[in-house]
Amino acid sequence: MAETLLFIVNPKAGKTRSAAPLFGAVSCFCEAGYLVSVRQTQGPGHAAELAAELGEQFDRVVCFGGDGTLNETASGLLRLDEPPPLGYIPGGSTNDFAASLGLSPDPVEAARQITESRGTLLDIGRFNGRPFVYIASFGAFTKASYSAPQSIKNDLGHLAYILEGVKDLSTLRPYRATVSAGGETFDGRFLFGAVTNTTSVGGLMKLQKDKVVLDDGLFELLLIPTPATALELQSLIRCLVLQDFDGAGVIFRHVSAVTVQTPEAFPWTLDGEYGPGSDTVEIVNERKRLHFLL
């Protein structure tokens, strides 16, 4: 009996509205022997609803869209007792996690990768109980993920994130926080903070692949304290330009859980989408929680 595949498509994702590549992806699934059912999302949260309501009826679930669509689909599957393996065809503007996984940007090639994969268990994060796939972040680069209008993201792609991030960084707005992780506590004012399981952070910063393992039960914690002097600011800019996160003034750790306490709540992003903050945030790693088709 042929296996079944649910294909969840965000029709508004990406730089092009052409459906031709998606027809090619569906054809690839069919040629591999799958019975394919396609569902288009109607708005925010719909991918999660589709995955939760229909996921158990299928042997595999694949989503097409940006990192937000991936987050929603994974979140929906995680509501199930036995979620099916998840495939991802990147179709957004930046696709951080896809870049980290080495997924093809071509929908047909990505579909072929999915049909040939047996699945790999990867870690999933929880942000005060809410799932995220690869990053929870706050601060200077955080708003860049959602403040740029979708039309600009579609037209400029990666450049839109850089423009928004640099504009935000220039204000040097500090965020007061106490961050506890791995038996250490960091108290101060931070420009940026991220808890990640990816080599690409916010479409702007890159971590070396040998420092990131996606199924080891550990996150990468990156904190950028607010520079107190012109010399510290110069050192920070150098770290960002050279992508050197072992340099002075940057805190980088591998940890399984993080607690962030703040005098007042400030906004976060989860997988590039807005997430409401809290004066106490608990972030935990659920090791090898979900099958991904890579």
Side-chain angles (χ1 to χ4, degrees):
M1 182 175 179
E3 291 192 339
T4 56
L5 186 150
L6 173 63
F7 191 21
I8 298 174
V9 175
N10 178 356
K12 295 184 178 180
K15 300 179 182 180
T16 176
R17 295 292 182 266
S18 172
L22 296 183
F23 281 116
V26 171
S27 177
C28 181
F29 293 143
C30 293
E31 290 174 2
Y34 290 98
L35 296 177
V36 182
S37 178
V38 180
R39 297 287 191 278
Q40 292 192 69
T41 60
Q42 303 300 315
H46 194 206
E49 294 176 11
L50 290 171
E53 293 173 4
L54 304 176
E56 287 183 325
Q57 304 173 27
F58 292 85
D59 297 301
R60 295 187 175 196
V61 173
V62 178
C63 65
F64 168 84
D67 293 335
T69 303
L70 173 64
N71 174 280
E72 286 193 17
T73 306
S75 297
L77 292 179
L78 287 169
R79 300 177 196 171
L80 307 177
D81 292 333
E82 296 184 6
L86 172 61
Y88 177 37
I89 297 180
S93 304
T94 296
N95 303 311
D96 281 331
F97 197 56
S100 181
L101 296 175
L103 300 181
S104 174
D106 176 70
V108 176
E109 180 58 32
R112 186 171 294 108
Q113 287 180 271
I114 289 169
T115 62
E116 296 174 353
S117 172
R118 295 185 178 180
T120 301
L121 283 168
L122 299 184
D123 300 344
I124 291 291
R126 293 277 182 178
F127 176 96
N128 283 350
R130 176 179 169 179
F132 66 92
V133 175
Y134 73 94
I135 185 171
S137 64
F138 70 85
F141 298 105
T142 302
K143 291 192 294 182
S145 296
Y146 57 80
S147 61
Q150 186 61 48
S151 60
I152 294 179
K153 291 182 185 179
N154 291 343
D155 292 338
L156 300 181
H158 189 78
L159 179 59
Y161 289 82
I162 294 176
L163 294 175
E164 287 293 324
V166 170
K167 181 177 69 177
D168 200 27
L169 179 61
S170 67
T171 65
L172 296 179
R173 177 186 174 184
Y175 290 79
R176 179 75 189 187
T178 300
V179 182
S180 302
E184 297 181 277
T185 298
F186 308 100
D187 183 71
R189 298 160 71 84
F190 301 95
L191 290 180
F192 175 79
V195 180
T196 79
N197 196 37
T198 177
T199 58
S200 181
V201 179
L204 292 166
M205 294 188 289
K206 308 295 182 181
L207 300 177
Q208 297 176 16
K209 290 186 177 181
D210 60 356
K211 293 186 176 181
V212 179
V213 180
L214 303 182
D215 62 353
D216 62 353
L218 298 176
F219 290 125
E220 282 61 56
L221 169 66
L222 178 63
L223 297 171
I224 300 180
T226 304
T229 66
L231 184 60
E232 289 182 3
L233 175 58
Q234 183 179 7
S235 176
L236 171 58
I237 293 174
R238 180 181 180 278
C239 287
L240 295 178
V241 170
L242 298 179
Q243 302 289 284
D244 176 17
F245 302 111
D246 291 322
V250 177
I251 299 168
F252 183 79
R253 300 287 191 276
H254 302 280
V255 296
S256 60
V258 179
T259 300
V260 180
Q261 296 176 303
T262 60
E264 57 183 1
F266 48 68
W268 289 68
T269 63
L270 305 180
D271 297 335
E273 300 297 317
Y274 174 80
S278 170
D279 56 7
T280 299
V281 169
E282 300 283 351
I283 301 174
V284 296
N285 182 298
E286 295 188 351
R287 187 179 187 190
K288 296 186 176 182
R289 181 63 176 84
L290 191 62
H291 270 100
F292 282 84
L293 300 168
L294 306 177

